[in-house]
Amino acid sequence: MMKKLAQYKFYTLTVVGGGLTGQLMVSLILKSNLIDADKLCWINLNANKSKDSRVSFLNINNFFQLKYNFKYQFDINDYLNIKKIQIHNKNEKAPLSLEEDSHGVIVKNNTLKKNFKISKKNLNIFTSRVIKTKHDQYNRYLSLEDGTNIKTSLVICADGNSSTLRDLTKIKYASHNLNHTIISGYLYSKNFDNAVAKQVFLDDSYIGLLPISKNNNLVNFVWSLDSKVLKNKKSNFNFHDEIVKKLNSFFIKYNIYFEHRNTNKTDFDQLQIYSSNVKFVNKPFSERIVLIGDAAHTIHPLAGQGFNLSIEDCFDLLKCI
């Protein structure tokens, strides 16, 4: 019996990844009128997920390009302007202060998703993961878990730090575990200046602090903690209590105090906890595929530059296309 040949759906461009990077890439392609929407395919495993309580820092150049060159609509209430970055350490007499009219802006991810919103009319969206891939001279072929087969001229891969497609295509990368655990969450602070971002360097940890609201005194923290500290602690280690204790001890001299209000009702009570495994792809492309965002380079989150690199990847790739 003759083996049945797989039926392939053909698209000129295919974007893989449902995070902010993938969504921005799809949005930019459509906004630039590079191809018709029905020639574009988006493999988005997050298509049914709506809320994202996290925040992103956009440097002023990227924000300017998004707002004025690509005409994304940001209302004045959609972002906080960061005019000062202060860098602290335990032996300081005063923090190192970097002052500008604007270093950049803090934007909630939900606001970015709303701005990058994509009309699903004529756009082909698949919510099944890629499990196999192959290529020939002219196309790359993707087989999805649900049985869908896709043939495409170019795959733009934005599927994150643990990229499946990067592994399937055997694209080499350097990886290094910093032996730190990253904890990200939210605290309240009435005294925190919402035009200032802070970085604090201590013996066993580094802490980034970003104001995220003009009204309710919410501060986003990114805490990079030596993993040995966690191993030596008991299993009931309370991250919120520990970070509040550490910050209040340090900032008492500046009359800045933090607290955690555990309501169990909002997304701001949730913590993100993950290892600090950084990756770098020296050659982020192969036959008919290119990597962008965290699939191509994962950096330490303290300075908030990861998404800025992703935005610049999208801009550069748009020019190439």
PDB file of all heavy atoms in Angstrom, residues 20-21 24 55-66 103-107 112 210 293-294 297 299 301 303-316:
ATOM      1  N   LEU A  20       5.201  38.299  24.161  1.00  0.00           N
ATOM      2  CA  LEU A  20       5.211  39.664  23.653  1.00  0.00           C
ATOM      3  C   LEU A  20       6.061  39.811  22.398  1.00  0.00           C
ATOM      4  O   LEU A  20       5.709  40.556  21.477  1.00  0.00           O
ATOM      5  CB  LEU A  20       5.719  40.624  24.733  1.00  0.00           C
ATOM      6  CG  LEU A  20       4.703  41.118  25.762  1.00  0.00           C
ATOM      7  CD1 LEU A  20       5.399  42.025  26.762  1.00  0.00           C
ATOM      8  CD2 LEU A  20       3.554  41.847  25.101  1.00  0.00           C
ATOM      9  N   THR A  21       7.201  39.102  22.350  1.00  0.00           N
ATOM     10  CA  THR A  21       8.088  39.209  21.186  1.00  0.00           C
ATOM     11  C   THR A  21       7.399  38.682  19.929  1.00  0.00           C
ATOM     12  O   THR A  21       7.417  39.334  18.881  1.00  0.00           O
ATOM     13  CB  THR A  21       9.399  38.443  21.427  1.00  0.00           C
ATOM     14  OG1 THR A  21      10.022  38.931  22.620  1.00  0.00           O
ATOM     15  CG2 THR A  21      10.351  38.632  20.261  1.00  0.00           C
ATOM     16  N   LEU A  24       4.552  41.079  18.959  1.00  0.00           N
ATOM     17  CA  LEU A  24       5.063  42.304  18.340  1.00  0.00           C
ATOM     18  C   LEU A  24       5.526  42.045  16.915  1.00  0.00           C
ATOM     19  O   LEU A  24       5.260  42.841  16.003  1.00  0.00           O
ATOM     20  CB  LEU A  24       6.207  42.879  19.175  1.00  0.00           C
ATOM     21  CG  LEU A  24       6.923  44.102  18.575  1.00  0.00           C
ATOM     22  CD1 LEU A  24       5.956  45.251  18.348  1.00  0.00           C
ATOM     23  CD2 LEU A  24       8.088  44.547  19.452  1.00  0.00           C
ATOM     24  N   VAL A  55       5.263  43.684  34.177  1.00  0.00           N
ATOM     25  CA  VAL A  55       5.580  44.971  33.556  1.00  0.00           C
ATOM     26  C   VAL A  55       6.878  44.842  32.765  1.00  0.00           C
ATOM     27  O   VAL A  55       7.678  43.931  32.996  1.00  0.00           O
ATOM     28  CB  VAL A  55       5.729  46.096  34.606  1.00  0.00           C
ATOM     29  CG1 VAL A  55       4.418  46.339  35.332  1.00  0.00           C
ATOM     30  CG2 VAL A  55       6.849  45.781  35.597  1.00  0.00           C
ATOM     31  N   SER A  56       7.072  45.763  31.835  1.00  0.00           N
ATOM     32  CA  SER A  56       8.302  45.799  31.043  1.00  0.00           C
ATOM     33  C   SER A  56       8.879  47.212  31.066  1.00  0.00           C
ATOM     34  O   SER A  56       8.140  48.197  31.150  1.00  0.00           O
ATOM     35  CB  SER A  56       8.031  45.389  29.591  1.00  0.00           C
ATOM     36  OG  SER A  56       7.642  44.039  29.500  1.00  0.00           O
ATOM     37  N   PHE A  57      10.201  47.285  30.996  1.00  0.00           N
ATOM     38  CA  PHE A  57      10.884  48.572  30.839  1.00  0.00           C
ATOM     39  C   PHE A  57      11.286  48.723  29.381  1.00  0.00           C
ATOM     40  O   PHE A  57      11.945  47.848  28.819  1.00  0.00           O
ATOM     41  CB  PHE A  57      12.130  48.627  31.735  1.00  0.00           C
ATOM     42  CG  PHE A  57      12.960  49.864  31.512  1.00  0.00           C
ATOM     43  CD1 PHE A  57      12.517  51.099  31.975  1.00  0.00           C
ATOM     44  CD2 PHE A  57      14.165  49.804  30.831  1.00  0.00           C
ATOM     45  CE1 PHE A  57      13.272  52.245  31.755  1.00  0.00           C
ATOM     46  CE2 PHE A  57      14.925  50.933  30.612  1.00  0.00           C
ATOM     47  CZ  PHE A  57      14.485  52.167  31.079  1.00  0.00           C
ATOM     48  N   LEU A  58      10.869  49.817  28.752  1.00  0.00           N
ATOM     49  CA  LEU A  58      11.233  50.110  27.369  1.00  0.00           C
ATOM     50  C   LEU A  58      12.181  51.299  27.375  1.00  0.00           C
ATOM     51  O   LEU A  58      11.834  52.370  27.917  1.00  0.00           O
ATOM     52  CB  LEU A  58       9.997  50.459  26.529  1.00  0.00           C
ATOM     53  CG  LEU A  58       9.168  49.317  25.944  1.00  0.00           C
ATOM     54  CD1 LEU A  58       8.609  48.420  27.042  1.00  0.00           C
ATOM     55  CD2 LEU A  58       8.036  49.862  25.091  1.00  0.00           C
ATOM     56  N   ASN A  59      13.397  51.118  26.823  1.00  0.00           N
ATOM     57  CA  ASN A  59      14.291  52.266  26.770  1.00  0.00           C
ATOM     58  C   ASN A  59      13.694  53.331  25.849  1.00  0.00           C
ATOM     59  O   ASN A  59      12.836  53.052  25.010  1.00  0.00           O
ATOM     60  CB  ASN A  59      15.715  51.876  26.383  1.00  0.00           C
ATOM     61  CG  ASN A  59      15.853  51.394  24.949  1.00  0.00           C
ATOM     62  OD1 ASN A  59      15.297  51.955  24.012  1.00  0.00           O
ATOM     63  ND2 ASN A  59      16.611  50.312  24.763  1.00  0.00           N
ATOM     64  N   ILE A  60      14.143  54.553  26.002  1.00  0.00           N
ATOM     65  CA  ILE A  60      13.457  55.679  25.353  1.00  0.00           C
ATOM     66  C   ILE A  60      13.514  55.584  23.832  1.00  0.00           C
ATOM     67  O   ILE A  60      12.571  55.985  23.141  1.00  0.00           O
ATOM     68  CB  ILE A  60      14.027  57.031  25.863  1.00  0.00           C
ATOM     69  CG1 ILE A  60      13.102  58.185  25.483  1.00  0.00           C
ATOM     70  CG2 ILE A  60      15.444  57.239  25.380  1.00  0.00           C
ATOM     71  CD1 ILE A  60      11.700  58.067  26.058  1.00  0.00           C
ATOM     72  N   ASN A  61      14.585  55.021  23.281  1.00  0.00           N
ATOM     73  CA  ASN A  61      14.681  54.896  21.836  1.00  0.00           C
ATOM     74  C   ASN A  61      13.638  53.914  21.287  1.00  0.00           C
ATOM     75  O   ASN A  61      12.947  54.198  20.303  1.00  0.00           O
ATOM     76  CB  ASN A  61      16.089  54.436  21.440  1.00  0.00           C
ATOM     77  CG  ASN A  61      16.235  54.300  19.930  1.00  0.00           C
ATOM     78  OD1 ASN A  61      16.042  55.251  19.185  1.00  0.00           O
ATOM     79  ND2 ASN A  61      16.572  53.104  19.475  1.00  0.00           N
ATOM     80  N   ASN A  62      13.499  52.767  21.940  1.00  0.00           N
ATOM     81  CA  ASN A  62      12.510  51.788  21.498  1.00  0.00           C
ATOM     82  C   ASN A  62      11.086  52.311  21.670  1.00  0.00           C
ATOM     83  O   ASN A  62      10.228  52.095  20.812  1.00  0.00           O
ATOM     84  CB  ASN A  62      12.680  50.474  22.260  1.00  0.00           C
ATOM     85  CG  ASN A  62      13.908  49.699  21.819  1.00  0.00           C
ATOM     86  OD1 ASN A  62      14.392  49.871  20.710  1.00  0.00           O
ATOM     87  ND2 ASN A  62      14.416  48.855  22.693  1.00  0.00           N
ATOM     88  N   PHE A  63      10.838  52.987  22.785  1.00  0.00           N
ATOM     89  CA  PHE A  63       9.510  53.557  23.023  1.00  0.00           C
ATOM     90  C   PHE A  63       9.188  54.607  21.956  1.00  0.00           C
ATOM     91  O   PHE A  63       8.065  54.641  21.422  1.00  0.00           O
ATOM     92  CB  PHE A  63       9.450  54.184  24.415  1.00  0.00           C
ATOM     93  CG  PHE A  63       8.112  54.776  24.768  1.00  0.00           C
ATOM     94  CD1 PHE A  63       7.006  53.963  24.923  1.00  0.00           C
ATOM     95  CD2 PHE A  63       7.968  56.143  24.938  1.00  0.00           C
ATOM     96  CE1 PHE A  63       5.761  54.503  25.252  1.00  0.00           C
ATOM     97  CE2 PHE A  63       6.738  56.696  25.260  1.00  0.00           C
ATOM     98  CZ  PHE A  63       5.634  55.867  25.416  1.00  0.00           C
ATOM     99  N   PHE A  64      10.164  55.434  21.636  1.00  0.00           N
ATOM    100  CA  PHE A  64       9.970  56.480  20.621  1.00  0.00           C
ATOM    101  C   PHE A  64       9.625  55.854  19.266  1.00  0.00           C
ATOM    102  O   PHE A  64       8.703  56.302  18.579  1.00  0.00           O
ATOM    103  CB  PHE A  64      11.247  57.325  20.500  1.00  0.00           C
ATOM    104  CG  PHE A  64      11.110  58.485  19.546  1.00  0.00           C
ATOM    105  CD1 PHE A  64      10.706  59.735  20.000  1.00  0.00           C
ATOM    106  CD2 PHE A  64      11.393  58.335  18.190  1.00  0.00           C
ATOM    107  CE1 PHE A  64      10.573  60.803  19.118  1.00  0.00           C
ATOM    108  CE2 PHE A  64      11.266  59.397  17.304  1.00  0.00           C
ATOM    109  CZ  PHE A  64      10.855  60.634  17.774  1.00  0.00           C
ATOM    110  N   GLN A  65      10.361  54.811  18.894  1.00  0.00           N
ATOM    111  CA  GLN A  65      10.098  54.168  17.604  1.00  0.00           C
ATOM    112  C   GLN A  65       8.718  53.531  17.561  1.00  0.00           C
ATOM    113  O   GLN A  65       7.991  53.650  16.561  1.00  0.00           O
ATOM    114  CB  GLN A  65      11.170  53.119  17.291  1.00  0.00           C
ATOM    115  CG  GLN A  65      12.530  53.702  16.956  1.00  0.00           C
ATOM    116  CD  GLN A  65      13.377  52.729  16.160  1.00  0.00           C
ATOM    117  OE1 GLN A  65      12.996  52.302  15.080  1.00  0.00           O
ATOM    118  NE2 GLN A  65      14.528  52.366  16.706  1.00  0.00           N
ATOM    119  N   LEU A  66       8.330  52.842  18.637  1.00  0.00           N
ATOM    120  CA  LEU A  66       7.010  52.222  18.668  1.00  0.00           C
ATOM    121  C   LEU A  66       5.904  53.268  18.588  1.00  0.00           C
ATOM    122  O   LEU A  66       4.917  53.097  17.863  1.00  0.00           O
ATOM    123  CB  LEU A  66       6.838  51.389  19.936  1.00  0.00           C
ATOM    124  CG  LEU A  66       7.646  50.095  20.032  1.00  0.00           C
ATOM    125  CD1 LEU A  66       7.526  49.497  21.433  1.00  0.00           C
ATOM    126  CD2 LEU A  66       7.193  49.068  18.993  1.00  0.00           C
ATOM    127  N   HIS A 103      15.035  57.994  30.810  1.00  0.00           N
ATOM    128  CA  HIS A 103      15.778  56.772  30.490  1.00  0.00           C
ATOM    129  C   HIS A 103      14.901  55.818  29.694  1.00  0.00           C
ATOM    130  O   HIS A 103      15.388  54.987  28.936  1.00  0.00           O
ATOM    131  CB  HIS A 103      16.222  56.071  31.772  1.00  0.00           C
ATOM    132  CG  HIS A 103      17.369  56.740  32.458  1.00  0.00           C
ATOM    133  ND1 HIS A 103      18.665  56.622  32.029  1.00  0.00           N
ATOM    134  CD2 HIS A 103      17.404  57.535  33.555  1.00  0.00           C
ATOM    135  CE1 HIS A 103      19.465  57.308  32.835  1.00  0.00           C
ATOM    136  NE2 HIS A 103      18.727  57.881  33.768  1.00  0.00           N
ATOM    137  N   GLY A 104      13.608  55.925  29.915  1.00  0.00           N
ATOM    138  CA  GLY A 104      12.660  55.029  29.282  1.00  0.00           C
ATOM    139  C   GLY A 104      11.365  55.032  30.067  1.00  0.00           C
ATOM    140  O   GLY A 104      11.131  55.905  30.918  1.00  0.00           O
ATOM    141  N   VAL A 105      10.505  54.063  29.791  1.00  0.00           N
ATOM    142  CA  VAL A 105       9.195  54.039  30.431  1.00  0.00           C
ATOM    143  C   VAL A 105       8.886  52.645  30.968  1.00  0.00           C
ATOM    144  O   VAL A 105       9.379  51.638  30.455  1.00  0.00           O
ATOM    145  CB  VAL A 105       8.083  54.470  29.450  1.00  0.00           C
ATOM    146  CG1 VAL A 105       8.328  55.885  28.937  1.00  0.00           C
ATOM    147  CG2 VAL A 105       7.956  53.490  28.287  1.00  0.00           C
ATOM    148  N   ILE A 106       8.060  52.604  32.011  1.00  0.00           N
ATOM    149  CA  ILE A 106       7.525  51.365  32.545  1.00  0.00           C
ATOM    150  C   ILE A 106       6.115  51.195  31.993  1.00  0.00           C
ATOM    151  O   ILE A 106       5.273  52.095  32.132  1.00  0.00           O
ATOM    152  CB  ILE A 106       7.453  51.384  34.087  1.00  0.00           C
ATOM    153  CG1 ILE A 106       8.814  51.756  34.701  1.00  0.00           C
ATOM    154  CG2 ILE A 106       6.964  50.038  34.616  1.00  0.00           C
ATOM    155  CD1 ILE A 106       9.902  50.775  34.433  1.00  0.00           C
ATOM    156  N   VAL A 107       5.866  50.063  31.356  1.00  0.00           N
ATOM    157  CA  VAL A 107       4.551  49.791  30.767  1.00  0.00           C
ATOM    158  C   VAL A 107       4.083  48.418  31.239  1.00  0.00           C
ATOM    159  O   VAL A 107       4.864  47.462  31.257  1.00  0.00           O
ATOM    160  CB  VAL A 107       4.600  49.802  29.216  1.00  0.00           C
ATOM    161  CG1 VAL A 107       3.193  49.713  28.647  1.00  0.00           C
ATOM    162  CG2 VAL A 107       5.314  51.035  28.696  1.00  0.00           C
ATOM    163  N   LEU A 112       0.813  46.625  26.698  1.00  0.00           N
ATOM    164  CA  LEU A 112       1.553  46.306  25.472  1.00  0.00           C
ATOM    165  C   LEU A 112       0.758  45.331  24.601  1.00  0.00           C
ATOM    166  O   LEU A 112       0.661  45.513  23.381  1.00  0.00           O
ATOM    167  CB  LEU A 112       2.918  45.707  25.819  1.00  0.00           C
ATOM    168  CG  LEU A 112       3.919  46.668  26.469  1.00  0.00           C
ATOM    169  CD1 LEU A 112       5.162  45.905  26.938  1.00  0.00           C
ATOM    170  CD2 LEU A 112       4.333  47.770  25.485  1.00  0.00           C
ATOM    171  N   LEU A 210      11.241  48.659  40.331  1.00  0.00           N
ATOM    172  CA  LEU A 210      10.600  49.491  39.310  1.00  0.00           C
ATOM    173  C   LEU A 210       9.228  49.951  39.805  1.00  0.00           C
ATOM    174  O   LEU A 210       8.388  49.127  40.159  1.00  0.00           O
ATOM    175  CB  LEU A 210      10.388  48.703  38.015  1.00  0.00           C
ATOM    176  CG  LEU A 210      11.608  48.257  37.226  1.00  0.00           C
ATOM    177  CD1 LEU A 210      11.167  47.394  36.045  1.00  0.00           C
ATOM    178  CD2 LEU A 210      12.396  49.458  36.717  1.00  0.00           C
ATOM    179  N   GLY A 293      14.553  37.327  20.117  1.00  0.00           N
ATOM    180  CA  GLY A 293      14.175  37.377  21.529  1.00  0.00           C
ATOM    181  C   GLY A 293      14.950  36.396  22.384  1.00  0.00           C
ATOM    182  O   GLY A 293      16.126  36.107  22.112  1.00  0.00           O
ATOM    183  N   ASP A 294      14.303  35.854  23.408  1.00  0.00           N
ATOM    184  CA  ASP A 294      14.975  34.954  24.349  1.00  0.00           C
ATOM    185  C   ASP A 294      15.449  33.666  23.698  1.00  0.00           C
ATOM    186  O   ASP A 294      16.336  32.987  24.228  1.00  0.00           O
ATOM    187  CB  ASP A 294      14.044  34.610  25.511  1.00  0.00           C
ATOM    188  CG  ASP A 294      13.920  35.742  26.515  1.00  0.00           C
ATOM    189  OD1 ASP A 294      14.673  36.728  26.393  1.00  0.00           O
ATOM    190  OD2 ASP A 294      13.073  35.651  27.427  1.00  0.00           O
ATOM    191  N   HIS A 297      18.889  35.041  22.717  1.00  0.00           N
ATOM    192  CA  HIS A 297      19.750  35.589  23.779  1.00  0.00           C
ATOM    193  C   HIS A 297      18.917  35.804  25.033  1.00  0.00           C
ATOM    194  O   HIS A 297      17.924  36.510  25.028  1.00  0.00           O
ATOM    195  CB  HIS A 297      20.374  36.912  23.341  1.00  0.00           C
ATOM    196  CG  HIS A 297      19.449  37.795  22.565  1.00  0.00           C
ATOM    197  ND1 HIS A 297      18.337  38.384  23.097  1.00  0.00           N
ATOM    198  CD2 HIS A 297      19.467  38.150  21.265  1.00  0.00           C
ATOM    199  CE1 HIS A 297      17.718  39.087  22.188  1.00  0.00           C
ATOM    200  NE2 HIS A 297      18.361  38.955  21.048  1.00  0.00           N
ATOM    201  N   ILE A 299      19.296  37.129  28.910  1.00  0.00           N
ATOM    202  CA  ILE A 299      20.217  37.817  29.805  1.00  0.00           C
ATOM    203  C   ILE A 299      19.624  37.898  31.206  1.00  0.00           C
ATOM    204  O   ILE A 299      18.452  37.592  31.426  1.00  0.00           O
ATOM    205  CB  ILE A 299      20.555  39.231  29.285  1.00  0.00           C
ATOM    206  CG1 ILE A 299      19.285  40.114  29.250  1.00  0.00           C
ATOM    207  CG2 ILE A 299      21.195  39.149  27.909  1.00  0.00           C
ATOM    208  CD1 ILE A 299      19.578  41.566  28.915  1.00  0.00           C
ATOM    209  N   PRO A 301      17.799  39.364  34.287  1.00  0.00           N
ATOM    210  CA  PRO A 301      16.669  40.297  34.216  1.00  0.00           C
ATOM    211  C   PRO A 301      16.816  41.579  35.028  1.00  0.00           C
ATOM    212  O   PRO A 301      15.967  42.466  34.935  1.00  0.00           O
ATOM    213  CB  PRO A 301      15.506  39.459  34.782  1.00  0.00           C
ATOM    214  CG  PRO A 301      16.169  38.528  35.747  1.00  0.00           C
ATOM    215  CD  PRO A 301      17.491  38.176  35.111  1.00  0.00           C
ATOM    216  N   ALA A 303      18.445  44.420  34.966  1.00  0.00           N
ATOM    217  CA  ALA A 303      18.417  45.750  34.342  1.00  0.00           C
ATOM    218  C   ALA A 303      17.204  45.956  33.440  1.00  0.00           C
ATOM    219  O   ALA A 303      17.026  47.032  32.874  1.00  0.00           O
ATOM    220  CB  ALA A 303      19.702  45.979  33.543  1.00  0.00           C
ATOM    221  N   GLY A 304      16.383  44.932  33.283  1.00  0.00           N
ATOM    222  CA  GLY A 304      15.169  45.074  32.487  1.00  0.00           C
ATOM    223  C   GLY A 304      15.408  45.273  31.008  1.00  0.00           C
ATOM    224  O   GLY A 304      14.600  45.905  30.324  1.00  0.00           O
ATOM    225  N   GLN A 305      16.507  44.720  30.482  1.00  0.00           N
ATOM    226  CA  GLN A 305      16.853  44.963  29.077  1.00  0.00           C
ATOM    227  C   GLN A 305      16.465  43.819  28.136  1.00  0.00           C
ATOM    228  O   GLN A 305      16.628  43.936  26.924  1.00  0.00           O
ATOM    229  CB  GLN A 305      18.357  45.239  28.949  1.00  0.00           C
ATOM    230  CG  GLN A 305      18.785  46.556  29.569  1.00  0.00           C
ATOM    231  CD  GLN A 305      18.068  47.746  28.966  1.00  0.00           C
ATOM    232  OE1 GLN A 305      17.896  47.825  27.763  1.00  0.00           O
ATOM    233  NE2 GLN A 305      17.634  48.678  29.809  1.00  0.00           N
ATOM    234  N   GLY A 306      15.950  42.709  28.673  1.00  0.00           N
ATOM    235  CA  GLY A 306      15.636  41.561  27.825  1.00  0.00           C
ATOM    236  C   GLY A 306      14.634  41.879  26.738  1.00  0.00           C
ATOM    237  O   GLY A 306      14.839  41.553  25.562  1.00  0.00           O
ATOM    238  N   PHE A 307      13.532  42.552  27.105  1.00  0.00           N
ATOM    239  CA  PHE A 307      12.517  42.859  26.102  1.00  0.00           C
ATOM    240  C   PHE A 307      12.999  43.935  25.147  1.00  0.00           C
ATOM    241  O   PHE A 307      12.602  43.965  23.975  1.00  0.00           O
ATOM    242  CB  PHE A 307      11.206  43.273  26.770  1.00  0.00           C
ATOM    243  CG  PHE A 307      10.074  43.450  25.791  1.00  0.00           C
ATOM    244  CD1 PHE A 307       9.781  42.461  24.856  1.00  0.00           C
ATOM    245  CD2 PHE A 307       9.294  44.595  25.793  1.00  0.00           C
ATOM    246  CE1 PHE A 307       8.744  42.617  23.940  1.00  0.00           C
ATOM    247  CE2 PHE A 307       8.252  44.752  24.897  1.00  0.00           C
ATOM    248  CZ  PHE A 307       7.978  43.764  23.965  1.00  0.00           C
ATOM    249  N   ASN A 308      13.884  44.815  25.604  1.00  0.00           N
ATOM    250  CA  ASN A 308      14.450  45.815  24.684  1.00  0.00           C
ATOM    251  C   ASN A 308      15.254  45.146  23.566  1.00  0.00           C
ATOM    252  O   ASN A 308      15.173  45.547  22.400  1.00  0.00           O
ATOM    253  CB  ASN A 308      15.337  46.802  25.453  1.00  0.00           C
ATOM    254  CG  ASN A 308      14.513  47.817  26.209  1.00  0.00           C
ATOM    255  OD1 ASN A 308      13.846  48.650  25.625  1.00  0.00           O
ATOM    256  ND2 ASN A 308      14.545  47.729  27.531  1.00  0.00           N
ATOM    257  N   LEU A 309      16.021  44.121  23.916  1.00  0.00           N
ATOM    258  CA  LEU A 309      16.746  43.374  22.886  1.00  0.00           C
ATOM    259  C   LEU A 309      15.771  42.709  21.916  1.00  0.00           C
ATOM    260  O   LEU A 309      16.009  42.672  20.702  1.00  0.00           O
ATOM    261  CB  LEU A 309      17.642  42.320  23.529  1.00  0.00           C
ATOM    262  CG  LEU A 309      18.864  42.824  24.300  1.00  0.00           C
ATOM    263  CD1 LEU A 309      19.571  41.658  24.977  1.00  0.00           C
ATOM    264  CD2 LEU A 309      19.827  43.555  23.395  1.00  0.00           C
ATOM    265  N   SER A 310      14.672  42.198  22.442  1.00  0.00           N
ATOM    266  CA  SER A 310      13.666  41.559  21.597  1.00  0.00           C
ATOM    267  C   SER A 310      13.035  42.553  20.635  1.00  0.00           C
ATOM    268  O   SER A 310      12.819  42.259  19.447  1.00  0.00           O
ATOM    269  CB  SER A 310      12.574  40.927  22.463  1.00  0.00           C
ATOM    270  OG  SER A 310      13.103  39.915  23.289  1.00  0.00           O
ATOM    271  N   ILE A 311      12.720  43.745  21.132  1.00  0.00           N
ATOM    272  CA  ILE A 311      12.152  44.790  20.275  1.00  0.00           C
ATOM    273  C   ILE A 311      13.117  45.129  19.139  1.00  0.00           C
ATOM    274  O   ILE A 311      12.721  45.252  17.968  1.00  0.00           O
ATOM    275  CB  ILE A 311      11.835  46.052  21.101  1.00  0.00           C
ATOM    276  CG1 ILE A 311      10.711  45.779  22.091  1.00  0.00           C
ATOM    277  CG2 ILE A 311      11.459  47.217  20.188  1.00  0.00           C
ATOM    278  CD1 ILE A 311      10.471  46.901  23.088  1.00  0.00           C
ATOM    279  N   GLU A 312      14.401  45.253  19.488  1.00  0.00           N
ATOM    280  CA  GLU A 312      15.400  45.602  18.462  1.00  0.00           C
ATOM    281  C   GLU A 312      15.581  44.473  17.458  1.00  0.00           C
ATOM    282  O   GLU A 312      15.820  44.716  16.269  1.00  0.00           O
ATOM    283  CB  GLU A 312      16.711  45.976  19.158  1.00  0.00           C
ATOM    284  CG  GLU A 312      16.625  47.327  19.876  1.00  0.00           C
ATOM    285  CD  GLU A 312      17.629  47.499  20.995  1.00  0.00           C
ATOM    286  OE1 GLU A 312      18.671  46.806  20.973  1.00  0.00           O
ATOM    287  OE2 GLU A 312      17.373  48.329  21.886  1.00  0.00           O
ATOM    288  N   ASP A 313      15.450  43.214  17.907  1.00  0.00           N
ATOM    289  CA  ASP A 313      15.446  42.081  16.979  1.00  0.00           C
ATOM    290  C   ASP A 313      14.320  42.242  15.958  1.00  0.00           C
ATOM    291  O   ASP A 313      14.515  42.036  14.753  1.00  0.00           O
ATOM    292  CB  ASP A 313      15.236  40.761  17.732  1.00  0.00           C
ATOM    293  CG  ASP A 313      16.465  40.301  18.487  1.00  0.00           C
ATOM    294  OD1 ASP A 313      17.544  40.878  18.287  1.00  0.00           O
ATOM    295  OD2 ASP A 313      16.345  39.353  19.285  1.00  0.00           O
ATOM    296  N   CYS A 314      13.136  42.578  16.452  1.00  0.00           N
ATOM    297  CA  CYS A 314      11.973  42.738  15.565  1.00  0.00           C
ATOM    298  C   CYS A 314      12.204  43.857  14.557  1.00  0.00           C
ATOM    299  O   CYS A 314      11.902  43.701  13.363  1.00  0.00           O
ATOM    300  CB  CYS A 314      10.718  43.018  16.387  1.00  0.00           C
ATOM    301  SG  CYS A 314      10.149  41.635  17.404  1.00  0.00           S
ATOM    302  N   PHE A 315      12.740  44.986  15.029  1.00  0.00           N
ATOM    303  CA  PHE A 315      13.012  46.104  14.118  1.00  0.00           C
ATOM    304  C   PHE A 315      14.018  45.693  13.037  1.00  0.00           C
ATOM    305  O   PHE A 315      13.825  45.960  11.844  1.00  0.00           O
ATOM    306  CB  PHE A 315      13.569  47.300  14.889  1.00  0.00           C
ATOM    307  CG  PHE A 315      12.581  47.983  15.791  1.00  0.00           C
ATOM    308  CD1 PHE A 315      13.026  48.819  16.812  1.00  0.00           C
ATOM    309  CD2 PHE A 315      11.215  47.813  15.631  1.00  0.00           C
ATOM    310  CE1 PHE A 315      12.121  49.456  17.640  1.00  0.00           C
ATOM    311  CE2 PHE A 315      10.307  48.459  16.467  1.00  0.00           C
ATOM    312  CZ  PHE A 315      10.768  49.289  17.483  1.00  0.00           C
ATOM    313  N   ASP A 316      15.116  45.046  13.469  1.00  0.00           N
ATOM    314  CA  ASP A 316      16.161  44.653  12.516  1.00  0.00           C
ATOM    315  C   ASP A 316      15.662  43.622  11.514  1.00  0.00           C
ATOM    316  O   ASP A 316      15.963  43.707  10.321  1.00  0.00           O
ATOM    317  CB  ASP A 316      17.378  44.106  13.273  1.00  0.00           C
ATOM    318  CG  ASP A 316      18.160  45.193  13.999  1.00  0.00           C
ATOM    319  OD1 ASP A 316      17.946  46.371  13.697  1.00  0.00           O
ATOM    320  OD2 ASP A 316      18.963  44.852  14.886  1.00  0.00           O
TER     321      ASP A 316
END
